[in-house]
């Protein structure tokens, strides 16, 4: 794969854009602003990935030496400039959405996303728990961004609920990823939660967050936001979430944390599928 595509983590960026698709499906609306919102989220997520790799160069030399920057496929300077270009593309998309809809909230959200993503990579990532919350916040913000792009009061409320779900589960996954990356983070002098207080308490925090989301899942059906098909599909995601929680609670070694994080990601993808299909059935 071309290193300039690889560094975007296109699957991750597309997963971010899915939040817009899901909100549009719930509203049963497709429009130019919706397409621009998908592009904005893709560019912003990709920009966050690239600038994160730029600032994480020393950590990735230990944890992920095969990535484009630590492997030398992309220079540090080119990586930084590439991230700035992606931030600019996302910001232009946000401006066009607001210009076309005469609603400047989406543009403000994109500007805020630029600042948070940069600050996360530069400083917040190394701040205990705050960095995890920042990533969760940005993931959930994608849904809220979609809601304000459509500018439908009912959809905005639904998007906030979905955004909260994504925020909680992503924060849990980020904490588990910190457990996985302890060795590399230590060598770079990072001050993540598992480094400061050990792995058990962060694992417990992640499990509590996972349980909160598992409890929230059925509410989207009982509040008549989604149909019966949602309930059937989300049950699969909940099983994966619980399995992931049990894994990390039992053991916090690097291999287990990696598997737990992977199952959470798969569960979230299934949950997004449940959101999409549940809006129709």
């Amino acid at each position: 794969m071309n290193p300039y595509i690889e560094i975007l983590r296109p699957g991750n960026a597309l997963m971010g854009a899915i939040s817009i698709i899901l909100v549009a499906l719930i509203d049963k609306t497709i429009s130019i602003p919706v397409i621009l919102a998908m592009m904005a989220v893709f560019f912003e997520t990709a920009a966050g990935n690239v600038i994160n790799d730029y600032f994480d160069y020393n950590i990735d030399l230990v944890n992920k030496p095969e990535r484009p920057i630590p492997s030398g496929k992309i220079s540090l300077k080119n990586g930084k400039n590439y991230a700035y270009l992606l931030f600019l593309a996302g910001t232009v998309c946000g401006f066009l959405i607001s210009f076309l809809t005469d609603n400047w909230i989406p543009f403000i959200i994109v500007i805020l996303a630029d600042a948070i993503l940069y600050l996360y990579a530069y400083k917040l990532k190394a701040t205990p728990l705050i960095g995890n919350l920042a990533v969760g916040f940005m993931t959930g913000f994608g849904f809220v961004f979609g809601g304000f792009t459509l500018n439908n009061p009912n959809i905005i409320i639904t998007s906030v609920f979905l955004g909260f779900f994504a925020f909680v589960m992503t924060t849990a996954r980020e904490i588990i990823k910190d457990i996985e990356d302890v060795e590399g983070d230590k060598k770079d002098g990072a001050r993540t939660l598992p480094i400061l207080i050990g792995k058990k308490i962060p694992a417990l925090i992640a499990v509590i967050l996972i349980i909160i989301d598992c409890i929230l899942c059925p509410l989207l059906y009982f509040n008549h936001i989604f149909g019966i098909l949602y309930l059937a599909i989300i049950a699969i995601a909940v099983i994966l979430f619980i399995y992931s929680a049990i894994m990390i609670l039992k053991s916090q070694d690097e291999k287990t944390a990696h598997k737990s994080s992977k199952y959470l990601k798969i569960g979230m993808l299934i949950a997004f599928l449940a959101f999409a299909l549940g809006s129709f059935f």
Side-chain angles (χ1 to χ4, degrees), residues 36-37 39-40 43 88-98 107 110 145:
L36 286 169
M39 293 172 61
F43 287 135
L88 178 62
T91 303
V92 169
C93 288
F95 174 81
L96 290 174
I97 292 167
S98 291
F107 181 59
V110 173
F145 178 59

Side-chain angles (χ1 to χ4, degrees), residues 72-268:
K73 294 174 185 175
I74 297 177
S75 69
L76 275 172
K77 181 180 178 181
N78 286 345
K80 180 175 67 174
N81 290 336
Y82 191 31
Y84 290 162
L85 181 63
L86 291 164
F87 276 126
L88 178 62
T91 303
V92 169
C93 288
F95 174 81
L96 290 174
I97 292 167
S98 291
F99 180 77
L100 291 172
T101 61
D102 197 28
N103 168 24
W104 291 96
I105 294 178
F107 181 59
I108 293 170
I109 289 175
V110 173
I111 294 295
L112 184 59
D114 288 337
I116 292 175
L117 286 167
Y118 187 89
L119 286 172
Y120 167 76
Y122 178 56
K123 282 287 184 185
L124 295 180
K125 188 174 188 290
T127 306
L129 196 56
I130 300 299
N132 307 129
L133 292 170
V135 177
F137 180 75
M138 287 308 306
T139 305
F141 227 35
F143 289 96
V144 179
F145 178 59
F148 278 103
T149 295
L150 292 165
N151 206 23
N152 177 329
N154 290 330
I155 295 300
I156 289 173
I157 293 171
T158 300
S159 70
V160 170
F161 198 107
L162 296 179
F164 182 74
F165 169 88
F167 161 69
V168 172
M169 192 59 73
T170 302
T171 301
R173 183 167 180 262
E174 286 299 311
I175 292 172
I176 292 172
K177 284 168 66 179
D178 277 351
I179 294 172
E180 178 187 356
D181 292 340
V182 161
E183 294 308 314
D185 288 345
K186 276 183 180 179
K187 291 180 180 179
D188 196 60
R191 298 174 64 251
T192 62
L193 207 60
I195 290 174
L196 291 179
I197 63 174
K199 297 179 179 181
K200 286 190 178 295
I201 294 177
L204 183 59
I205 293 172
V207 168
I208 291 171
L209 292 174
I210 291 169
I211 291 171
I212 288 172
D213 255 6
C214 288
I215 293 171
L216 287 175
C217 284
L219 294 181
L220 294 170
Y221 169 75
F222 292 117
N223 286 341
H224 308 292
I225 295 173
F226 295 129
I228 189 68
L229 186 58
Y230 161 79
L231 203 59
I233 298 174
I234 202 67
I236 301 171
V238 169
I239 290 170
L240 285 173
F241 293 153
I242 293 173
Y243 181 63
S244 175
I246 292 171
M247 285 180 66
I248 199 64
L249 200 59
K250 283 184 175 180
S251 175
Q252 295 85 45
D253 63 83
E254 182 179 337
K255 186 177 179 180
T256 302
H258 176 74
K259 286 183 178 179
S260 178
S261 172
K262 181 181 178 180
Y263 283 125
L264 281 183
K265 187 173 184 178
I266 294 171
M268 288 179 72

Side-chain angles (χ1 to χ4, degrees), residues 46-56 79-80 83-84 87 117-118 121:
N49 289 335
V50 176
I51 199 67
N52 192 63
D53 280 8
Y54 168 76
F55 283 114
D56 271 2
K80 180 175 67 174
Y84 290 162
F87 276 126
L117 286 167
Y118 187 89

